[in-house]
Each structure stands twice: as C-alpha cells, then as structure tokens.
Amino acid sequence: MTAAGPDGPGTAEPGGGGPGRRAIVVLAGTAGLAFLADLSTKHLALATLDDRDPVRLLGGTVYLTITRNSGAAFGLGADHTWVFSLITIAVVGWIGWMALRLRSVPWGLSLGLVLGGAFGNLADRIFRAPGHFVGHVVDMVSLFDPYGRVWPVFNLADSALVCGVALAVVLELTGRQRDGTRLRAGDPAPAAGSPKETTDGSARRETTPTEDRRESTDVELGERA
C-alpha cells in the first residue's frame, strides 16, 4: 500500500514516480537526444561538406556549408573564445540547480533543449582545434545566402538553444511555473509558507456556521424585498 503524501492522496511522495521524476526524465532525455543529434550532424557535415561548394536546398532558402566559428553569432567575440566556454559552463550549472526543484514536464523539455544545445557547442570549444576551451564551433546551415550574409551560419545545437529559450518565454507568459503550478492573470505570486492552491487555482474561503446563517438570511430578505 502506498502512503498518501502530506497534502492528501493526490500528492506524490518526494523521490517517487510523480511529476518531479517525469520532468527530470524529460529534461535528461531531451538534452541527450539534442546533444547526440548535434554531434551526428556535425560529423556528417565534416565528412561530406568540407572542401566543397555550398549545397543549395529549397530553391536557395537553405544552404549547407561548413564554417568554423570561434565567437558568437555574426563572429562577435572571436578573440575571446574561452569566455563563451565559461558562460556555457555557468548555464549548465544553473540548469542543474533548477532541476532540483523541477516539477513541470514542459519546463523539463525547455531546459533539456537548452542543456543539449549548450553541451553540443561546449564540446566543440573543449575538444576541437585549435585547443582546449578555445576550439571553434562547427556550423553548417545558412539561410538565404551560401555564406551567412543574411543570417549567421548555425548548427543543430544553436537551433535547440533557440527553441528551448522560446519555449521558456511562452511558459513564463502563460504563467506556468517550474514547480508545476500555474499562475493566472491577476493572481499574486504565492508567498513562502502560504497554503497550497486548490486544484482550480482559486483560494479557498473558510466560513463559520454563523456567517453561513447570516448569508442565508440576507438572501431571503433580498428575495422578499
């Protein structure tokens, strides 16, 4: 027999198979898939696109071409590659800290995409030439121009990062919290130590028998009037 949680039978036990565990599984699985997909596409691009002209796809909407980027988008910070490695490590640490209290599966998906993308580019900076923590990131997708003159050349890790951040913005705007709760328009943020919200998100109002009788009397007087 499974014992009920401290807040009733619908509350999962800490460490059990509840929403917290599902969210962590989604985060880890999404991050792993994004990282492996990015690693595979980079390996394939290096094997097939290196030392050749850009490949034109979709009537020129997309071009496949190899570039090695030592900086950020548009080549920014190219002389300070190690800074991006430190920033990425900080992001990974922040996501790990967030995961300790994660109870939302959509947030697990969002953070998993960001984590997988961060790992993909961090692996390039650590292990690729010209050296550890100053390696160049392999990019291979260019939009509307074969040489990235319209939009920066990017890779699958960059796409995962952008999608993860975009999903996080949507979750924030719709009031979805990382602990699995959901705020509605006009609702104040729950204070520390305050009672849990009811399942429909509204506050529960406690009344006494005297107040109930008074309200019934008021209703009857109103009907007679």
Side-chain angles (χ1 to χ4, degrees):
M1 177 181 288
T2 302
D7 297 300
T11 304
E13 288 286 343
R21 183 179 179 85
R22 290 196 296 271
I24 294 299
V25 169
V26 169
L27 189 157
T30 302
L33 288 174
F35 174 70
L36 291 176
D38 177 67
L39 192 65
S40 300
T41 54
K42 287 174 179 174
H43 177 76
L44 182 62
L46 289 171
T48 59
L49 297 175
D50 211 8
D51 298 325
R52 64 174 296 182
D53 293 333
V55 178
R56 187 171 183 262
L57 301 174
L58 302 177
T61 304
V62 177
Y63 290 86
L64 300 180
T65 181
I66 286 288
T67 64
R68 290 169 175 82
N69 186 9
S70 60
F74 295 103
L76 298 176
D79 296 328
H80 301 86
T81 304
W82 59 274
V83 173
F84 297 104
S85 299
L86 295 180
I87 292 174
T88 304
I89 291 172
V91 170
V92 170
W94 175 77
I95 292 176
W97 178 77
M98 294 292 292
L100 296 177
R101 290 175 289 183
L102 186 66
R103 298 292 183 274
S104 168
V105 170
W107 270 106
L109 177 62
S110 170
L111 295 177
L113 288 169
V114 174
L115 185 61
F119 271 134
N121 285 338
L122 181 62
D124 280 7
R125 299 193 187 279
I126 293 177
F127 298 111
R128 294 193 188 277
H132 297 316
F133 291 97
V134 292
H136 295 177
V137 174
V138 175
D139 295 325
M140 77 290 293
V141 182
S142 181
L143 300 179
F144 309 113
D145 180 84
Y147 303 106
R149 289 172 293 197
V150 175
W151 189 260
V153 184
F154 60 93
N155 55 38
L156 194 61
D158 298 327
S159 299
L161 281 165
V162 170
C163 291
V165 171
L167 178 56
V169 171
V170 171
L171 294 174
E172 285 286 356
L173 292 177
T174 55
R176 295 181 181 273
Q177 305 297 295
R178 286 173 288 275
D179 62 0
T181 60
R182 183 170 184 176
L183 297 178
R184 300 190 181 186
D187 288 349
S194 61
K196 287 183 174 290
E197 294 181 343
T198 57
T199 54
D200 62 354
S202 60
R204 181 177 297 168
R205 181 175 180 269
E206 299 292 340
T207 58
T208 64
T210 302
E211 291 173 336
D212 291 336
R213 288 196 298 273
R214 185 179 303 148
E215 291 175 358
S216 299
T217 303
D218 292 341
V219 170
E220 291 175 358
L221 291 175
E223 292 176 351
R224 292 176 182 176

